[in-house]
Amino acid sequence: MLPKKQQNYEQPRYSEVVQSAYFKQLMEEKKRFILPMTLFFLLFYFSLPILTAYTDVLNNKAIGDISWAWIFAFAQFIMTWALCMIYTKRAKRFDELAEKVINEMDKEVSS
């Protein structure tokens, strides 16, 4: 369902939205944030099974009988929560830019 502001549009105005400066800024900021975070997450996530399957690096004891594999696995939970919190904070900025795009389109319709 479209927001009330947008319900009186007769047809989608995608080409106008895409040309908006705020929309371009929104997409650039999202790309600059999401791409590196995704790459980091995937590398960190897949390194545990790769390191345990093909090397003995994580089999060494770290603390008592706890090996580095267990510490790395636990760190993945922490990393996931941390990335989630970071994205939540960053999403507020994305929402602000999205609101600016909507307001800009509404101003054009009003005039």
Side-chain angles (χ1 to χ4, degrees):
M1 177 103 179
L2 291 172
K4 289 181 183 179
K5 294 178 186 177
Q6 296 177 0
Q7 288 178 353
N8 28 343
Y9 296 154
E10 293 180 13
Q11 57 182 319
R13 300 171 29 194
Y14 302 118
S15 59
E16 293 175 40
V17 172
V18 171
Q19 298 303 320
S20 164
Y22 288 124
F23 182 79
K24 290 178 181 178
Q25 182 182 0
L26 170 65
M27 297 311 294
E28 181 62 32
E29 286 188 26
K30 284 182 81 170
K31 188 187 333 175
R32 236 180 329 167
F33 176 75
I34 292 174
L35 186 62
M37 287 297 126
T38 302
L39 290 174
F40 169 74
F41 175 80
L42 290 173
L43 286 172
F44 195 80
Y45 179 79
F46 284 113
S47 61
L48 177 63
I50 290 171
L51 288 173
T52 55
Y54 299 108
T55 69
D56 293 332
V57 172
L58 298 178
N59 292 342
N60 299 324
K61 292 182 180 183
I63 304 168
D65 287 333
I66 299 173
S67 70
W68 285 106
W70 284 104
I71 292 174
F72 198 101
F74 183 70
Q76 287 189 340
F77 285 99
I78 295 170
M79 183 266 313
T80 302
W81 294 329
L83 284 178
C84 207
M85 288 187 287
I86 292 168
Y87 180 78
T88 301
K89 287 185 179 189
R90 205 56 156 339
K92 290 178 185 177
R93 171 73 177 144
F94 300 152
D95 290 344
E96 290 170 5
L97 286 172
E99 189 64 34
K100 287 181 181 180
V101 171
I102 292 169
N103 291 337
E104 184 178 50
M105 292 298 115
D106 286 340
K107 284 179 186 176
E108 289 179 13
V109 168
S110 300
S111 50

